[in-house]
Short mmCIF file of all heavy atoms in Angstrom, two decimals:
data_model
loop_
_atom_site.label_atom_id
_atom_site.label_comp_id
_atom_site.label_asym_id
_atom_site.label_seq_id
_atom_site.Cartn_x
_atom_site.Cartn_y
_atom_site.Cartn_z
N ALA A 379 132.33 135.20 100.88
CA ALA A 379 132.96 135.78 99.68
C ALA A 379 134.46 135.92 99.87
O ALA A 379 135.25 135.63 98.95
CB ALA A 379 132.32 137.14 99.38
N ILE A 380 134.89 136.37 101.04
CA ILE A 380 136.33 136.49 101.31
C ILE A 380 136.99 135.13 101.23
O ILE A 380 138.08 134.97 100.66
CB ILE A 380 136.55 137.15 102.68
CG1 ILE A 380 136.00 138.58 102.70
CG2 ILE A 380 138.02 137.14 103.05
CD1 ILE A 380 136.64 139.52 101.71
N ALA A 381 136.34 134.11 101.83
CA ALA A 381 136.90 132.76 101.79
C ALA A 381 137.04 132.28 100.36
O ALA A 381 138.04 131.65 99.98
CB ALA A 381 136.02 131.82 102.61
N SER A 382 136.03 132.55 99.54
CA SER A 382 136.09 132.12 98.15
C SER A 382 137.22 132.81 97.39
O SER A 382 137.93 132.18 96.60
CB SER A 382 134.73 132.41 97.48
OG SER A 382 134.76 132.07 96.11
N ARG A 383 137.42 134.11 97.63
CA ARG A 383 138.49 134.83 96.94
C ARG A 383 139.87 134.31 97.35
O ARG A 383 140.75 134.12 96.50
CB ARG A 383 138.39 136.32 97.25
CG ARG A 383 137.18 137.01 96.64
CD ARG A 383 137.23 138.49 96.93
NE ARG A 383 136.04 139.18 96.43
CZ ARG A 383 135.86 140.50 96.51
NH1 ARG A 383 136.81 141.27 97.05
NH2 ARG A 383 134.75 141.05 96.05
N LEU A 384 140.05 134.09 98.63
CA LEU A 384 141.36 133.61 99.09
C LEU A 384 141.63 132.21 98.56
O LEU A 384 142.76 131.89 98.17
CB LEU A 384 141.42 133.63 100.62
CG LEU A 384 141.42 135.02 101.28
CD1 LEU A 384 141.36 134.88 102.80
CD2 LEU A 384 142.66 135.81 100.87
N SER A 385 140.61 131.34 98.55
CA SER A 385 140.81 129.97 98.07
C SER A 385 141.12 129.94 96.58
O SER A 385 141.76 128.99 96.10
CB SER A 385 139.56 129.14 98.36
OG SER A 385 139.29 129.10 99.74
N ALA A 386 140.66 130.96 95.85
CA ALA A 386 140.88 130.98 94.40
C ALA A 386 142.28 131.39 94.02
O ALA A 386 142.67 131.27 92.85
CB ALA A 386 139.86 131.91 93.74
N LEU A 387 143.07 131.90 94.96
CA LEU A 387 144.44 132.33 94.64
C LEU A 387 145.30 131.11 94.35
O LEU A 387 145.38 130.18 95.17
CB LEU A 387 145.03 133.13 95.80
CG LEU A 387 144.43 134.52 96.05
CD1 LEU A 387 145.04 135.14 97.29
CD2 LEU A 387 144.65 135.43 94.85
N PRO A 388 145.98 131.08 93.23
CA PRO A 388 146.83 129.92 92.91
C PRO A 388 147.96 129.73 93.90
O PRO A 388 148.42 128.60 94.11
CB PRO A 388 147.36 130.25 91.50
CG PRO A 388 146.40 131.27 90.95
CD PRO A 388 145.95 132.07 92.13
N SER A 389 148.41 130.79 94.50
CA SER A 389 149.60 130.69 95.37
C SER A 389 149.32 129.90 96.64
O SER A 389 150.24 129.31 97.22
CB SER A 389 150.11 132.09 95.72
OG SER A 389 149.11 132.81 96.42
N VAL A 390 148.09 129.89 97.09
CA VAL A 390 147.82 129.21 98.37
C VAL A 390 147.47 127.75 98.16
O VAL A 390 147.59 126.93 99.09
CB VAL A 390 146.70 129.93 99.15
CG1 VAL A 390 147.12 131.35 99.48
CG2 VAL A 390 145.40 129.95 98.35
N ASP A 391 146.98 127.40 96.97
CA ASP A 391 146.71 126.00 96.66
C ASP A 391 145.82 125.35 97.72
O ASP A 391 146.13 124.29 98.28
CB ASP A 391 148.03 125.23 96.54
CG ASP A 391 147.80 123.86 95.91
OD1 ASP A 391 146.75 123.66 95.27
OD2 ASP A 391 148.67 122.99 96.08
N SER A 392 144.70 126.01 98.04
CA SER A 392 143.69 125.52 99.00
C SER A 392 144.18 125.47 100.43
O SER A 392 143.50 124.89 101.29
CB SER A 392 143.18 124.12 98.59
OG SER A 392 142.58 124.17 97.30
N ALA A 393 145.35 126.02 100.72
CA ALA A 393 145.85 126.04 102.10
C ALA A 393 145.37 127.30 102.80
O ALA A 393 146.15 128.15 103.21
CB ALA A 393 147.37 125.95 102.11
N VAL A 394 144.04 127.45 102.92
CA VAL A 394 143.43 128.63 103.53
C VAL A 394 142.56 128.16 104.69
O VAL A 394 141.89 127.12 104.60
CB VAL A 394 142.59 129.42 102.51
CG1 VAL A 394 142.01 130.67 103.15
CG2 VAL A 394 143.43 129.77 101.30
N ALA A 395 142.56 128.93 105.75
CA ALA A 395 141.77 128.57 106.93
C ALA A 395 141.12 129.82 107.50
O ALA A 395 141.61 130.94 107.32
CB ALA A 395 142.65 127.91 107.99
N ARG A 396 140.02 129.60 108.22
CA ARG A 396 139.40 130.67 109.00
C ARG A 396 139.74 130.41 110.46
O ARG A 396 139.32 129.42 111.05
CB ARG A 396 137.89 130.68 108.80
CG ARG A 396 137.20 131.84 109.53
CD ARG A 396 135.70 131.74 109.41
NE ARG A 396 135.03 132.78 110.18
CZ ARG A 396 133.79 132.70 110.63
NH1 ARG A 396 133.07 131.60 110.38
NH2 ARG A 396 133.24 133.68 111.31
N LEU A 397 140.50 131.32 111.05
CA LEU A 397 140.97 131.14 112.41
C LEU A 397 140.00 131.66 113.45
O LEU A 397 139.84 131.08 114.52
CB LEU A 397 142.33 131.83 112.60
CG LEU A 397 143.46 131.40 111.66
CD1 LEU A 397 144.73 132.13 112.01
CD2 LEU A 397 143.65 129.90 111.70
N ALA A 398 139.34 132.76 113.17
CA ALA A 398 138.43 133.38 114.13
C ALA A 398 137.33 134.07 113.34
O ALA A 398 137.19 133.88 112.12
CB ALA A 398 139.18 134.36 115.02
N THR A 399 136.52 134.89 114.02
CA THR A 399 135.37 135.53 113.38
C THR A 399 135.78 136.30 112.13
O THR A 399 135.21 136.13 111.06
CB THR A 399 134.68 136.45 114.38
OG1 THR A 399 134.27 135.69 115.51
CG2 THR A 399 133.46 137.10 113.75
N ASP A 400 136.78 137.16 112.27
CA ASP A 400 137.19 138.02 111.16
C ASP A 400 138.65 137.82 110.81
O ASP A 400 139.33 138.73 110.36
CB ASP A 400 136.93 139.49 111.49
CG ASP A 400 137.63 139.92 112.77
OD1 ASP A 400 138.22 139.04 113.44
OD2 ASP A 400 137.58 141.11 113.11
N GLU A 401 139.15 136.62 111.01
CA GLU A 401 140.58 136.36 110.81
C GLU A 401 140.76 135.10 109.98
O GLU A 401 140.18 134.05 110.28
CB GLU A 401 141.29 136.23 112.16
CG GLU A 401 142.80 136.27 112.05
CD GLU A 401 143.45 136.39 113.41
OE1 GLU A 401 143.50 135.36 114.12
OE2 GLU A 401 143.87 137.50 113.78
N PHE A 402 141.57 135.21 108.94
CA PHE A 402 141.88 134.10 108.05
C PHE A 402 143.39 133.87 108.07
O PHE A 402 144.16 134.73 108.52
CB PHE A 402 141.42 134.39 106.62
CG PHE A 402 139.92 134.51 106.47
CD1 PHE A 402 139.28 135.72 106.75
CD2 PHE A 402 139.17 133.44 106.05
CE1 PHE A 402 137.91 135.83 106.61
CE2 PHE A 402 137.79 133.55 105.90
CZ PHE A 402 137.16 134.75 106.19
N ALA A 403 143.78 132.70 107.56
CA ALA A 403 145.20 132.38 107.47
C ALA A 403 145.43 131.58 106.20
O ALA A 403 144.54 130.88 105.70
CB ALA A 403 145.67 131.60 108.69
N ALA A 404 146.67 131.67 105.68
CA ALA A 404 147.05 130.91 104.49
C ALA A 404 148.55 130.67 104.54
O ALA A 404 149.29 131.40 105.23
CB ALA A 404 146.66 131.67 103.22
N PHE A 405 148.99 129.63 103.88
CA PHE A 405 150.44 129.43 103.76
C PHE A 405 150.75 129.02 102.33
O PHE A 405 149.90 128.50 101.59
CB PHE A 405 150.95 128.41 104.78
CG PHE A 405 150.56 126.99 104.50
CD1 PHE A 405 151.28 126.19 103.62
CD2 PHE A 405 149.47 126.43 105.15
CE1 PHE A 405 150.92 124.89 103.37
CE2 PHE A 405 149.10 125.12 104.92
CZ PHE A 405 149.82 124.34 104.03
N THR A 406 152.00 129.24 101.95
CA THR A 406 152.45 128.91 100.60
C THR A 406 153.92 128.54 100.65
O THR A 406 154.59 128.72 101.68
CB THR A 406 152.23 130.10 99.65
OG1 THR A 406 152.48 129.68 98.31
CG2 THR A 406 153.18 131.24 99.99
N ARG A 407 154.42 128.01 99.56
CA ARG A 407 155.83 127.65 99.46
C ARG A 407 156.50 128.62 98.48
O ARG A 407 156.06 128.75 97.34
CB ARG A 407 155.98 126.21 98.97
CG ARG A 407 155.39 125.18 99.92
CD ARG A 407 155.43 123.78 99.32
NE ARG A 407 154.93 122.78 100.25
CZ ARG A 407 153.65 122.48 100.42
NH1 ARG A 407 152.73 123.11 99.69
NH2 ARG A 407 153.27 121.57 101.28
#
Side-chain angles (χ1 to χ4, degrees):
I380 297 299
S382 177
R383 291 184 183 183
L384 292 175
S385 300
L387 290 176
S389 61
V390 298
D391 193 18
S392 300
V394 182
R396 183 185 176 204
L397 303 182
T399 302
D400 56 354
E401 193 169 77
F402 295 84
F405 71 84
T406 189
R407 297 174 177 85

